[in-house]
Amino acid sequence: MENLASLLKSHKLSQADYEHIVQILGREPNLVELGVFSAMWSEHCSYKSSKKYLRGFPTEAAWVIQGPGENAGVIDIGEGYAAVFKMESHNHPSFIEPYQGAATGVGGIMRDVFTMGARPVASLNAIRFGDIRRQDEIGKKHRYLLKGVVAGIGGYGNCMGVPTVGGEMSFEDCYNGNILVNAFTLGIAKSDEIFYGRAEGIGNPVIYVGSKTGRDGLGGAVMSSDSFDDAANQLRPTVQVGDPFAEKLLLEACLELFKTDYIVGIQDMGAAGLTSSSFEMAGRSGSGMIMHLDRVPMREQGMTPYELMLSESQERMLICAKKGYEEKVLEIFRKWELDAEVIGEVTSSGKMELFWHGEKCAEIPVLPVSEEAPMLDRPTKEPAYLAEIRSKGAQAPKEIDLKEAFMKLWSAPETMDKSWVYSQYDSMVQTNTIVGPGGGDGSLVRVKENGAALAMSADCNPRYCYLNPREGAKLAVAEAGRNVAVRGARPLAITDCLNFGSPENPEVMWQFAEACEGIKEACKVLLTPVVSGNVSLYNQTNGVDIFPTPSIATVGLLPKAQKALLGAFKKEGNLLLLVGETKSEFGGSLYQKEVEGFLGGDAPVIDLHRELALWRFLEEANEAGFLESAKDVNVGGLAIALGKMSVLGQKGCKVKTALKGVDLFSESPSRAVLEVSSEHLAALESLAQKGDVALGVIGSVGGENLEIDSLSLPLQTLQEIYLRGFAKIVENL
C-alpha cells in the first residue's frame, strides 16, 4: 500500500498491528480491510488496554439472566419479567459538539436496550464538567458545554417518550479539556423473550433496517480512542447526528417485530456502525457472512464501501432473519416508514465477504477481528502525585465557624438542586415515575406489569478516586447501592462506565487496575454483579488526564411499589435517627474542596460488610413499616443531608449530636438519616441490634429552622439558595 506510514497513523494502527493483519489475511490488506481492522481493534471497540483487568468481575447470580458480552445486561425482577440496562460513555463527541454528542449518546444506549427486546422505561445520566463558576474563557466554555449537553439529553429523551428520572453532576478542573457524558437506560421485557445479537443458520438473510447511511460519524470509534489536543474542533465531522423521531419509529417497529417468530438475532449499529454489528453477530455464532454493500440504503451520493462500513449514522439495526420470512420483516419496517433491505446472508465460511456491485471488495476472517483483537499488557506505575497529596491532607481540618462552613457547602454547585437541568427533561412520561430527579438519592419507577418498583442510581466521587482509585471505586459501588437501599429496594446488579485518561500513561493504567480491583471486591461482598458496562479511555487533552472516574449505576428491586421510601421530612414531631458511625474523614470531601481549598489525604475507608448490613437493615425496616423517610449521608456529610431533607419536606428540624465541630461535614460511608414515628423506635432499635447496625436518636422534625448543634439557619434562606442558586451560576447572573 502507498503511504503506509501515513495510513497507519490516520487509522491509529501500529506497525505491529499491521504485521498482525498481514498474518491473519495472508496478504496485504486493501483500504476497506484496513478500515475494518482499525475500527474493530480501536480501544473503543476492542477494549485492548482494559480487557486484562475486566476479567474477574463478578457477573453471575441467581437473578442474572444475561451478563456482559451482549448489548445490555438482564436481571430477573419477578413474575416473568426482566430489567434490561446498560450505561455507556459519549465523552469525546460531546466535548466536540455537545448537543449532538449527548443526544446520540442517549439514542445509542436506548438502542442497546430495545435491541434486547425491552421497552425503555427510564434513563439516567452522569455528566461532569470543569468549574462553571470561573469568570474566564474556561468557565464560559463549560457553561456552554453544560447547556448543550443538557439540551441534547432532553431533546432526544423527550422525543423518544422515555422519562429521564435522575442522574448526577460534578465539576472539577480535571474535566476542563474532557467533559464526561455517561448515559444509562433501563427497559422492561418478558424474561423468556430476550433477543440476542447473533447471526446463525446458513442461508439466513441479513437485513439492514432504520435510517439511511450517510457520512456522519465516520471514524467515530477511532476518534474516541485517542487523546485530544487544541485542534479537537477539527474532529466535528466524526460526531454523529441523531434523529429521535426516526429512533421512535425504529423502537416501535422492533417491538412489533419481537412479537413474531421471524428473526434469529438483532444488533444495534453503534460504534463502528455496520462493521461492528456484522462482525459481532457473526463472531458470537462462529459463522460467516456475505454482504452486498451497494444494497445499503444511502442518503449521500458517491459513497464508497469504506465509508459504508465505517459510518456511524444513527438509528440503524442489523437483523438476522429466518429464511423465508424476509418479506414479513421488511413489511413491518416499511409500515413504520423506515428503510429496510436484504443486504446479505449467513454463511459457513467463517469469513466476512463484502461485495460492491457484484465484485468482492473485502474478505476477512471473522473471529480474529471480532474475538481476537490484541490484548495489551501496558506498563503500570503508582502515580508520583500520591505521596505528596496524601501527606498534604494528613492533618485534621481547621475548625471554623459552622455557619460559614455550612453556607459554603450549601452554595456549591455539587450540592444545589439541579432543577435548571432536569426541568428540561420529561421525567413523568409513561406515568410510572415514583421518585424522579430532584427527589434526592435513588430514582424509582413503577413496574405496572408485576406491581413492583425498580430503584436506580448513578454515582462516583472522582476526588476519592484520584486520592485512592481502589477505595474510591469501592465507595462508588457502595454509594450507588446505598442510594437504592434508602428507597427501600434491594440492590441487585450494577452497570459501569469506566472513564480514565490515556492508557499510554503507566500511572493511568495503575489507576485503572486499582479501580477494577475495588469494583470486584465491592460487588463480591455487596452481592451486586456487573451485568454490563463500558470503558472510555484517552480522556486526555494536551497531556492532562482526567481524574479516574469509574461511574457506577445500580439497579434494585422493591417488590411492592406502594412501599416506596422517600427522602423528605414527612411529619412534625417524628424522631430523627442516624444509622452508622461517623469518623473524622475529610480526604476528597466537599468540605476539603470548598472550605479548605485543596485536595489531599486519603479517601474514606469502607467496611463493605457493614455497608451490606445497612442495606439489609433498611430493607427490613421499610418492609415492616417502621420508616417514614430515609436519606443517605454522603457529599457534605450529616449537616447537608439534614438540610436537604428539610428543604425537600419544607419542615425544619432540631438535632443534637455528639460530633465535634466540623465532623458534621465528614463523609464517612455506610450512614443514613431515618425519620420514624416514636411508636416504632423500640422495634427499630431491636432490629438494628439484631443486624449489628449502629443506631442513635439525634433529634426531631419540626420548626422553621435547620438547627444542628450550635448551627441555626432559617429554612426559607436555605430554600432560596438550594432551589435557585444553580440557575444563577449556569446563566452567569
Side-chain angles (χ1 to χ4, degrees):
M1 297 178 79
E2 292 184 20
N3 303 316
L4 179 60
S6 175
L7 272 174
L8 293 180
K9 184 179 179 182
S10 66
H11 285 83
K12 308 295 190 295
L13 290 168
S14 67
Q15 184 63 37
D17 289 334
Y18 182 74
E19 289 167 7
H20 190 183
I21 292 167
V22 171
Q23 182 185 5
I24 289 168
L25 296 177
R27 56 177 170 78
E28 289 192 345
N30 60 32
L31 185 60
V32 176
E33 293 163 340
L34 193 72
V36 166
F37 276 100
S38 168
M40 291 298 291
W41 287 4
S42 67
E43 197 69 60
H44 193 76
C45 290
S46 75
Y47 294 74
K48 58 188 175 186
S49 296
S50 59
K51 200 182 298 182
K52 170 184 174 182
Y53 301 103
L54 301 178
R55 292 176 172 178
F57 273 10
T59 59
E60 297 178 350
W63 53 89
V64 174
I65 296 172
Q66 175 63 53
E70 271 290 342
N71 289 291
V74 187
I75 60 170
D76 188 350
I77 58 171
E79 297 187 32
Y81 287 91
V84 180
F85 58 94
K86 189 181 181 184
M87 181 161 59
E88 273 204 349
S89 61
H90 232 222
N91 306 334
H92 291 69
S94 299
F95 184 70
I96 299 166
E97 171 45 56
Y99 184 95
Q100 290 297 347
T104 52
V106 171
I109 197 63
M110 286 187 184
R111 284 194 304 280
D112 279 340
V113 167
F114 74 72
T115 193
M116 300 288 291
R119 178 177 288 278
V121 299
S123 288
L124 303 172
N125 54 77
I127 51 181
R128 306 179 196 279
F129 302 89
D131 188 350
I132 57 174
R133 292 177 289 187
R134 290 172 59 152
Q135 296 301 311
D136 59 8
E137 285 304 307
I138 288 176
K140 181 179 177 182
K141 178 172 185 176
H142 281 267
R143 289 190 290 273
Y144 155 77
L145 289 169
L146 170 58
K147 290 175 183 178
V149 164
V150 169
I153 291 170
Y156 208 103
N158 296 352
C159 288
M160 285 294 293
V162 178
T164 301
V165 298
E168 66 154 349
M169 302 178 71
S170 58
F171 307 90
E172 303 288 346
D173 287 341
C174 70
Y175 303 119
N176 286 346
N178 285 83
I179 64 172
L180 300 185
V181 176
N182 297 170
F184 165 98
T185 291
L186 178 143
I188 303 293
K190 288 186 177 178
S191 51
D192 60 352
E193 294 182 5
I194 306 298
F195 287 80
Y196 299 96
R198 291 167 191 160
E200 55 195 7
I202 310 309
N204 278 337
V206 174
I207 304 175
Y208 172 114
V209 300
S211 297
K212 289 181 169 65
T213 296
R215 292 187 173 94
D216 55 315
L218 192 61
V222 177
M223 174 272 291
S224 295
S225 303
D226 200 6
S227 302
F228 280 154
D229 56 25
D230 291 327
N233 275 336
Q234 296 173 11
L235 295 168
R236 194 173 296 267
T238 63
V239 178
Q240 309 91 331
V241 177
D243 180 351
F245 298 105
E247 176 120 333
K248 176 63 173 170
L249 296 175
L250 185 60
L251 164 64
E252 298 301 338
C254 284
L255 292 179
E256 181 177 330
L257 175 69
F258 295 151
K259 293 175 183 175
T260 73
D261 190 31
Y262 301 161
I263 70 170
V264 174
I266 181 168
Q267 176 80 24
D268 162 44
M269 288 191 216
L274 189 54
T275 290
S276 63
S277 55
S278 59
F279 273 88
E280 286 173 8
M281 288 183 81
R284 289 186 188 119
S285 306
S287 58
M289 195 180 287
I290 287 173
M291 287 201 297
H292 299 272
L293 297 179
D294 49 289
R295 297 181 192 171
V296 172
M298 301 171 227
R299 69 163 181 261
E300 298 184 49
Q301 292 186 340
M303 291 194 73
T304 65
Y306 178 92
E307 292 170 328
L308 290 166
M309 288 300 289
L310 297 180
S311 165
E312 294 186 11
S313 293
Q314 297 292 283
E315 295 84 42
R316 303 179 300 157
M317 297 279 198
L318 197 63
I319 291 171
C320 175
K322 293 179 179 177
K323 194 171 179 61
Y325 288 95
E326 297 91 333
E327 280 307 314
K328 291 183 181 292
V329 173
L330 299 178
E331 190 179 311
I332 290 173
F333 287 92
R334 288 170 183 166
K335 183 188 87 171
W336 288 95
E337 299 182 351
L338 294 163
D339 282 282
E341 298 290 342
V342 177
I343 64 168
E345 65 180 57
V346 179
T347 69
S348 60
S349 69
K351 298 177 181 178
M352 185 67 62
E353 298 172 82
L354 306 179
F355 290 83
W356 181 246
H357 296 286
E359 290 189 16
K360 189 179 286 189
C361 59
E363 182 178 314
I364 310 171
V366 171
L367 284 177
V369 177
S370 68
E371 307 294 315
E372 299 174 25
M375 187 169 79
L376 304 180
D377 187 9
R378 293 188 183 274
T380 62
K381 176 188 173 190
E382 182 170 320
Y385 69 78
L386 280 179
E388 180 187 346
I389 63 169
R390 284 188 179 167
S391 63
K392 184 180 180 182
Q395 69 273 23
K398 298 189 292 286
E399 290 287 341
I400 70 162
D401 180 70
L402 287 182
K403 182 177 178 181
E404 180 188 346
F406 182 92
M407 294 308 291
K408 281 190 175 183
L409 268 60
W410 193 249
S411 304
E414 210 165 321
T415 302
M416 290 185 288
D417 176 75
K418 309 299 189 300
S419 57
W420 183 93
V421 172
Y422 62 75
S423 63
Q424 299 180 54
Y425 305 152
D426 189 338
S427 62
M428 299 306 293
V429 65
Q430 299 188 21
T431 66
N432 289 320
T433 305
I434 299 171
V435 180
D441 301 327
S443 303
L444 206 58
V445 296
R446 178 174 46 245
V447 183
K448 284 178 180 171
E449 292 85 350
N450 64 6
L454 288 169
M456 60 204 81
S457 176
D459 198 87
C460 180
N461 185 327
R463 296 188 298 275
Y464 291 167
C465 296
Y466 184 70
L467 294 175
N468 190 327
R470 185 180 294 228
E471 289 300 320
K474 284 194 229 174
L475 288 161
V477 174
E479 169 63 16
R482 198 180 318 127
N483 285 341
V484 164
V486 294
R487 290 287 174 246
R490 172 170 289 208
L492 290 179
I494 74 160
T495 180
D496 59 47
C497 206
L498 308 180
N499 309 274
F500 288 76
S502 171
E504 295 168 33
N505 178 351
E507 295 188 348
V508 168
M509 285 312 300
W510 183 89
Q511 292 172 333
F512 187 88
E514 285 290 294
C516 285
E517 289 307 307
I519 292 170
K520 290 172 190 175
E521 187 179 335
C523 289
K524 205 169 287 182
V525 174
L526 298 173
L527 306 177
T528 53
V530 183
V531 297
S532 57
N534 168 246
V535 176
S536 174
L537 300 178
Y538 287 102
N539 292 288
Q540 180 199 71
T541 295
N542 293 329
V544 178
D545 294 295
I546 64 164
F547 286 176
T549 314
S551 297
I552 304 293
T554 298
V555 174
L557 179 66
L558 181 64
K560 298 172 186 171
Q562 63 269 29
K563 289 275 190 181
L565 193 56
L566 308 185
F569 288 152
K570 285 179 75 172
K571 186 179 176 183
E572 301 239 347
N574 276 342
L575 298 176
L576 294 176
L577 286 71
L578 177 63
V579 191
E581 298 177 1
T582 304
K583 302 173 184 175
S584 288
E585 296 177 293
F586 290 91
S589 68
L590 190 64
Y591 182 90
Q592 190 180 69
K593 178 183 177 181
E594 297 294 332
V595 177
E596 303 209 300
F598 73 94
L599 175 60
D602 201 350
V605 176
I606 186 168
D607 181 332
L608 293 166
H609 296 283
R610 288 202 173 276
E611 182 73 31
L612 184 61
L614 171 64
W615 295 3
R616 296 296 182 257
F617 168 72
L618 290 168
E619 183 183 2
E620 287 186 55
N622 185 57
E623 177 60 31
F626 297 156
L627 307 180
E628 296 290 325
S629 69
K631 172 84 184 73
D632 160 49
V633 177
N634 184 30
V635 175
L638 177 62
I640 297 301
L642 289 165
K644 288 184 177 182
M645 292 182 87
S646 286
V647 168
L648 292 173
Q650 298 181 39
K651 295 174 182 63
C653 66
K654 296 180 176 66
V655 168
K656 290 289 182 187
T657 77
L659 300 178
K660 64 175 196 298
V662 296
D663 282 353
L664 283 174
F665 310 109
S666 162
E667 296 179 7
S668 294
S670 309
R671 294 182 299 158
V673 175
L674 308 181
E675 178 189 358
V676 304
S677 169
S678 57
E679 66 187 275
H680 294 309
L681 178 60
L684 198 63
E685 288 176 331
S686 174
L687 189 64
Q689 191 173 9
K690 186 182 82 172
D692 193 25
V693 172
L695 181 72
V697 177
I698 57 171
S700 61
V701 177
E704 296 182 358
N705 295 327
L706 177 73
E707 297 182 19
I708 311 171
D709 296 338
S710 63
L711 182 68
S712 182
L713 290 159
L715 194 53
Q716 191 174 352
T717 301
L718 299 184
Q719 286 175 324
E720 176 67 26
I721 295 169
Y722 185 74
L723 298 175
R724 295 179 176 83
F726 189 78
K728 291 179 180 178
I729 294 172
V730 178
E731 300 295 351
N732 201 29
L733 299 176

